[in-house]
Amino acid sequence: MLKGHQSWVFENRPVILSTGTVVGPDEGEGPLAEDFDIVHGDLTVGQKTWEKAEKALLEEAAQHALDSAGLTGGQIQFYIGGDLMNQIISNTFAARTLGMPYLGIFGACSTSMEGLALAAQLMDSGAANYIMAGTCSHNCTVEKQFRYPTEYGSQKPPTAQYTVTGAGVAVLGKTGDGPVITSATIGRVVDMGITDPFNMGAAMAPAAVDTIQAHFRDLGREPGYYDLIVTGDLAAVGSEIARELFEKHKVPIEQTTYDDCGLLIYQRDKQNVQAGGSGCGCSATVTYGHLLKRMKKGELNRILVVATGALLSPLSFQQGESIPCIAHAVSIESGGLYA
């Protein structure tokens, strides 16, 4: 059901039946390592190319989610997914393996919550019994496509972020024991004129705050409604700008705990990750791994996940285009055995 101008309220409260999270070695050395289902010790994941490794991460996460839900791929009506690669090849090729009806999407690093919101909308409307939503990223594929190949050894400024090697998948059903998706807010494209691809946090922060404000406005809520509001991958630079924007726009963020997936996934004082994490796999693995496990333990009852994305391409920034950004928010609450 449409609520306000850009939000949906899901009256049937789709259930997250299961999740699958698979990460690489750097994420396995971070503070959330025990919350991921599979941790690979090698960035190649046994594959011949970085791109094939990224696809393998997603396939593993999808299979783990299916196994955890006690379902087969043939029971899933639709798979919704996307990634950062040109023509979203990681998801498209994984969907070829999975053999499910497939809806490919692109929201850059906001893809995790864009996919989850669309999956919940389809489920809420009665269009499916089971839906899978997923996304992935790989540090070496992203560096190769958007910046410089890892082998080049290019130095990065402190504002740069470290792309997460990981995949996160969720399986949704009409009923069951698990957290429920109660609402979503679809973001607008916001462009503040930033052209530096090594400063994604600054580019994305205004979009995140814009979507959070729209969520509160549409649903008549304040930050205190949630135990935690977490942005996707603003990292150190962007999350600080977001805090400044909250204050500027008089958003009482102090009512709740505000954090960022890009800060949670790594230990910045011990790992060489510059400003923190980014990539489609960042918010996906942190949400489907760490945050939902905290909900299961009863530490969190209501969270708002606001995944952020920079909608540039290798071509656009080389031509001097600024970086348009977007953020999508999904409200997840305890349900069933999680309550």
Side-chain angles (χ1 to χ4, degrees), residues 91-113:
N91 271 262
T92 299
F93 291 172
R96 176 181 63 187
T97 302
L98 295 170
M100 302 171 184
Y102 167 57
L103 291 167
I105 59 174
F106 178 80
C109 301
S110 73
T111 298
S112 63
M113 292 303 110

Side-chain angles (χ1 to χ4, degrees), residues 75-152:
Q75 293 174 277
I76 305 295
Q77 273 78 47
F78 304 102
Y79 170 64
I80 303 175
D83 52 79
L84 291 168
M85 292 296 93
N86 287 340
Q87 287 75 51
I88 55 174
I89 56 171
S90 298
N91 271 262
T92 299
F93 291 172
R96 176 181 63 187
T97 302
L98 295 170
M100 302 171 184
Y102 167 57
L103 291 167
I105 59 174
F106 178 80
C109 301
S110 73
T111 298
S112 63
M113 292 303 110
E114 179 182 359
L116 192 62
L118 290 170
Q121 180 66 287
L122 282 172
M123 183 67 66
D124 193 58
S125 71
N129 295 315
Y130 298 107
I131 297 179
M132 178 182 286
T135 188
C136 58
S137 56
H138 192 294
N139 185 271
C140 297
T141 64
V142 170
E143 291 298 312
K144 177 180 173 182
Q145 178 170 291
F146 284 95
R147 301 180 185 100
Y148 299 102
T150 302
E151 296 87 346
Y152 181 73

Side-chain angles (χ1 to χ4, degrees), residues 3 7 34 48 56-57 62 101 116 119 122 144 153 158 198 208 237 316 318:
K3 185 75 171 179
S7 297
E34 294 184 359
K48 293 183 179 180
L57 292 171
L116 192 62
L122 282 172
K144 177 180 173 182
F198 289 102
V237 175
S316 66
Q318 288 172 4

Side-chain angles (χ1 to χ4, degrees), residues 9-269:
V9 172
F10 305 120
E11 297 177 342
N12 295 315
R13 298 163 66 91
V15 180
I16 300 177
L17 297 176
S18 66
T19 59
T21 53
V22 182
V23 299
D26 293 313
E27 297 69 28
E29 294 176 359
L32 308 184
E34 294 184 359
D35 291 334
F36 303 128
D37 297 311
I38 300 172
V39 177
H40 284 279
D42 189 330
L43 282 168
T44 65
V45 196
Q47 304 297 313
K48 293 183 179 180
T49 69
W50 304 128
E51 289 76 15
K52 289 183 178 180
E54 182 173 329
K55 177 181 75 77
L57 292 171
L58 183 58
E59 290 172 350
E60 284 186 331
Q63 190 59 54
H64 189 279
L66 286 171
D67 292 343
S68 298
L71 299 171
T72 65
Q75 293 174 277
I76 305 295
Q77 273 78 47
F78 304 102
Y79 170 64
I80 303 175
D83 52 79
L84 291 168
M85 292 296 93
N86 287 340
Q87 287 75 51
I88 55 174
I89 56 171
S90 298
N91 271 262
T92 299
F93 291 172
R96 176 181 63 187
T97 302
L98 295 170
M100 302 171 184
Y102 167 57
L103 291 167
I105 59 174
F106 178 80
C109 301
S110 73
T111 298
S112 63
M113 292 303 110
E114 179 182 359
L116 192 62
L118 290 170
Q121 180 66 287
L122 282 172
M123 183 67 66
D124 193 58
S125 71
N129 295 315
Y130 298 107
I131 297 179
M132 178 182 286
T135 188
C136 58
S137 56
H138 192 294
N139 185 271
C140 297
T141 64
V142 170
E143 291 298 312
K144 177 180 173 182
Q145 178 170 291
F146 284 95
R147 301 180 185 100
Y148 299 102
T150 302
E151 296 87 346
Y152 181 73
S154 173
Q155 291 184 314
K156 298 179 177 63
T159 57
Q161 292 172 236
Y162 194 83
T163 302
V164 166
T165 298
V169 171
V171 173
L172 275 60
K174 291 181 177 180
T175 60
D177 295 319
V180 296
I181 304 171
T182 58
S183 63
T185 299
I186 306 303
R188 303 182 302 159
V189 172
V190 176
D191 189 338
M192 301 305 292
I194 292 175
T195 58
D196 182 3
F198 289 102
N199 196 3
M200 294 289 94
M204 294 186 291
V209 174
D210 184 75
T211 297
I212 290 170
Q213 286 183 284
H215 182 79
F216 293 149
R217 182 174 59 249
D218 285 351
L219 275 66
R221 294 175 181 169
E222 291 194 347
Y225 180 84
Y226 295 102
D227 301 314
L228 173 70
I229 295 175
V230 60
T231 43
D233 49 354
L234 299 184
V237 175
S239 61
E240 186 57 36
I241 293 173
R243 290 183 185 278
E244 293 173 3
L245 291 172
F246 287 137
E247 182 176 355
K248 177 182 177 181
H249 295 295
K250 296 181 171 53
V251 178
I253 200 67
E254 67 280 356
Q255 291 180 0
T256 187
T257 299
Y258 166 64
D259 216 325
D260 185 80
C261 296
L263 293 176
L264 290 168
I265 196 166
Y266 296 125
Q267 209 164 349
R268 291 179 59 237
D269 58 342

Side-chain angles (χ1 to χ4, degrees), residues 301-326:
N301 290 312
R302 294 171 176 167
I303 64 173
L304 184 69
V305 184
V306 189
T308 50
L311 306 176
L312 78 164
S313 77
L315 179 65
S316 66
F317 87 81
Q318 288 172 4
Q319 293 182 342
E321 274 280 359
S322 56
I323 302 172
C325 297
I326 199 162

